[in-house]
Amino acid sequence: DAPDECEMNKFDDMMALLSHEAPDFRQLIAIDRHFDVFTRVWCVAELVQAHRAQIPQNVCLMSKKALDADTGDLGIYIKLATLTVADCSASCSEDKDAILRKISDIPEFDAQLQAAIFGSCGLLGRELVGFDVLYTAARTALRVKAAGHAAARPFDHRTPALGRSLSRLG
C-alpha cells in the first residue's frame, strides 16, 4: 500500500535496468493450459514492456494441444485475437486502475500486445503456423465491427487509433 516501498510500480524501470546491465537477460513466459496468463493485467503489461524494450522473450507452453489446428477448437485463437488490456484482471482493482492509467492509448497498446503475441518475432509466431490467415480475418472482423460502431456515433477526436485503423483498411 506504500508505493515508494512497493516493487509493484517499478517493473518498467527494473526491466530496463536488467536489459541494460545484463546483456543476456531474457524474459521467460510460462503459459498455462488455458492461456490465462494473457488475461492478467500485470502479465500483459510486462509482456508489452519487454516487447517495446526489445528484450528477447521465450515461451514455455504447458501444452501445445490448444494450438493444434486439427482439434477444430478455435477458442484459444479467438481469446488471443480479441484480447484487450481493458478486459484483463488483477487481484487488486487498484493495480489494474494504476496500469490502465499509465496507458495513454489503449487501442495502440492492444495493437502492440497483438504484435508481441502474434508478430513474426512474437511469442507465438513460431507456434502458429498457418494462423496468419485466421489472425488477419479476425483482426479485419474486429476493425469492421469498430468501423460500424464509429459510423453509428459522431466522430470523437479522442480515438485517433480507430481513425488510423480505418484509414489502413481503405
Side-chain angles (χ1 to χ4, degrees), residues 59-82:
V59 174
C60 181
L61 294 170
M62 179 163 179
S63 170
K64 290 185 180 186
K65 185 176 181 180
L67 299 177
D68 186 356
D70 294 332
T71 65
D73 180 9
L74 299 177
I76 293 297
Y77 295 118
I78 293 167
K79 178 179 186 174
L80 296 176
T82 59

Side-chain angles (χ1 to χ4, degrees), residues 3-153:
D4 290 340
E5 298 171 12
C6 177
E7 71 275 1
M8 297 300 280
N9 64 346
K10 298 171 182 62
F11 75 86
D12 293 347
D13 294 334
M14 182 55 70
M15 290 175 75
L17 176 69
L18 286 170
S19 72
H20 183 292
E21 297 293 323
D24 294 329
F25 178 69
R26 304 181 75 74
Q27 183 183 43
L28 174 65
I29 300 98
I31 301 178
D32 59 286
R33 179 172 314 176
H34 302 289
F35 291 68
D36 289 335
V37 67
F38 295 109
T39 66
R40 306 296 298 168
V41 73
W42 278 108
C43 297
V44 166
E46 288 180 20
L47 292 173
V48 171
Q49 179 61 26
H51 184 74
R52 284 179 181 162
Q54 299 180 344
I55 294 171
Q57 297 171 302
N58 292 90
V59 174
C60 181
L61 294 170
M62 179 163 179
S63 170
K64 290 185 180 186
K65 185 176 181 180
L67 299 177
D68 186 356
D70 294 332
T71 65
D73 180 9
L74 299 177
I76 293 297
Y77 295 118
I78 293 167
K79 178 179 186 174
L80 296 176
T82 59
L83 189 63
T84 175
V85 69
D87 292 339
C88 288
S89 61
S91 300
C92 179
S93 62
E94 291 84 8
D95 286 352
K96 178 178 178 178
D97 295 341
I99 288 173
L100 291 178
R101 276 194 306 273
K102 286 174 50 176
I103 301 170
S104 61
D105 185 343
I106 287 180
E108 180 62 29
F109 181 94
D110 289 343
Q112 290 180 19
L113 175 60
Q114 294 292 319
I117 295 170
F118 296 114
S120 59
C121 296
L123 299 174
L124 300 178
R126 292 179 302 263
E127 304 294 335
L128 300 175
V129 175
F131 181 70
D132 53 341
V133 174
L134 178 61
Y135 171 70
T136 302
R139 296 308 302 164
T140 301
L142 288 172
R143 288 184 180 120
V144 169
K145 180 179 177 183
H149 289 300
R153 65 178 190 274

Side-chain angles (χ1 to χ4, degrees), residues 149-157 159:
H149 289 300
R153 65 178 190 274
F155 176 73
D156 184 346
H157 69 282
T159 57

